[in-house]
Amino acid sequence: MTGAMGTADDPGTGTVTDTEPLYATDGDVLVPSEHTRGPWDAKAQHGGPPTALVARALEAAAGAGFAVTRLTIELLKPVPLTPLTVTASVVKPGRRTLGLAALVEAGGVPVVEARGVAVRLADMPVDDPPGPDRSAPLLPGPEEGRRSAFGQLEGMPVFHVTGMDVRFVGGAFDRLGPATAWLRLRRPLVDDEAPSGLVRATAAADFGNGVSGALPLDRWVFVNADLTVHLARPPVGEWVGLDAVTLLGDSGAGMAESALYDDGGRMGRSVQSLVLERRPGT
């Protein structure tokens, strides 16, 4: 299987540098670059960049002193490669927890809805965790990972190649079944902002169904309709690890589940609902 902009050893970056952001601000809107494009439709974005925009907006709405610990994204329709507006607010104030909401619109049409929870930050070390230690690191690390080709929309900038660096330490894009991979953003999300840990984690979490695909791409489409991310603590470091598996039903639905890791070990989980469809003629 050939890569969209390069080979398994060199994914390529097209004709631009990695400093070009995924989105550029233009007044009240965010203008997507071609590096936000998804693998299924040349005119639609990958789920990762809009999800990261939602995470950024929820984090800003929560404010200092709170950490977003859960967010649920509902992809209402394919997100077009057109300018977006993102709004977020606190819908349930509180001293210890906040309820958050966000909306992404394209040309005034809602394309993504989201809800979130933020928990107040406190200096509260847990010296004696009950039971076994479940924060062990994910090994091997990203330095031992390998890139894997993915042939959808060959020849175009696409998020999974020119927007994200994906390193497999188990499985591959062209190998069916569970997979373990490390991911990091190749470029800023918005303008020249440094992405937060939450932004990095949510952008990577949307890859669960892609890295652990359980159906052949030449015969099936398995798009996620949503994404829920739970975090035990704020993510640290550039790399986010996914230990992912896809589960399939016989009714046109499925799910992908990923254990999430960073430099400090296990830090959360993500789940996606999948819509299964056969490709025409298969």
Side-chain angles (χ1 to χ4, degrees):
M1 184 179 292
T2 57
M5 289 288 291
T7 68
D9 295 323
D10 178 10
T13 58
T15 58
V16 299
T17 69
D18 289 355
T19 58
E20 181 186 5
L22 295 171
Y23 298 94
T25 55
D26 183 8
D28 295 331
V29 301
L30 293 160
V31 181
S33 72
E34 288 194 290
H35 305 288
T36 64
R37 181 183 284 112
W40 309 109
D41 183 342
K43 297 180 180 180
Q45 297 184 41
H46 189 287
T51 294
L53 285 181
V54 167
R56 172 179 177 265
L58 293 181
E59 200 166 37
F66 284 85
V68 176
T69 57
R70 191 269 294 170
L71 60 85
T72 297
I73 310 289
E74 293 191 16
L75 301 169
L76 305 179
K77 56 181 61 181
V79 180
L81 273 169
T82 58
L84 305 176
T85 57
V86 184
T87 55
S89 61
V90 176
V91 294
K92 187 186 79 64
R95 291 189 303 109
R96 288 177 287 189
T97 64
L98 303 175
L100 309 168
L103 179 67
V104 180
E105 296 178 289
V109 177
V111 291
V112 179
E113 289 183 344
R115 290 279 179 167
V117 171
V119 173
R120 60 92 181 94
L121 292 169
D123 184 11
M124 199 174 300
V126 181
D127 297 324
D128 298 305
D133 180 11
R134 301 190 184 280
S135 62
L138 179 65
L139 298 174
E143 67 282 353
E144 298 183 50
R146 67 179 187 87
R147 296 184 175 105
S148 174
F150 186 94
Q152 298 297 104
L153 302 181
E154 185 173 351
M156 295 182 180
V158 281
F159 180 61
H160 63 274
V161 177
T162 61
M164 186 72 83
D165 189 357
V166 184
R167 307 286 182 95
F168 283 86
V169 293
F173 275 134
D174 55 359
R175 188 184 308 165
L176 300 182
T180 306
W182 288 95
L183 302 92
R184 66 176 173 183
L185 287 169
R186 293 182 64 117
R187 52 190 73 245
L189 178 67
V190 176
D191 297 335
D192 59 354
E193 292 179 14
S196 70
L198 177 68
V199 165
R200 293 180 183 278
T202 51
D206 192 68
F207 277 76
N209 65 318
V211 300
S212 67
L215 294 168
L217 279 168
D218 59 343
R219 298 201 298 274
W220 290 89
V221 175
F222 39 93
V223 178
N224 61 300
D226 65 2
L227 171 67
T228 296
V229 178
H230 282 267
L231 299 174
R233 55 175 174 78
V236 296
E238 284 191 319
W239 292 95
V240 177
L242 271 63
D243 189 4
V245 61
T246 292
L247 306 176
L248 303 176
D250 293 325
S251 58
M255 66 168 283
E257 182 177 26
S258 303
L260 303 179
Y261 295 80
D262 63 7
D263 292 348
R266 174 78 185 270
M267 50 89 174
R269 70 189 290 265
S270 62
V271 179
Q272 299 163 289
S273 300
L274 306 183
V275 179
L276 312 181
E277 293 183 333
R278 284 190 174 274
R279 291 189 182 276
T282 63

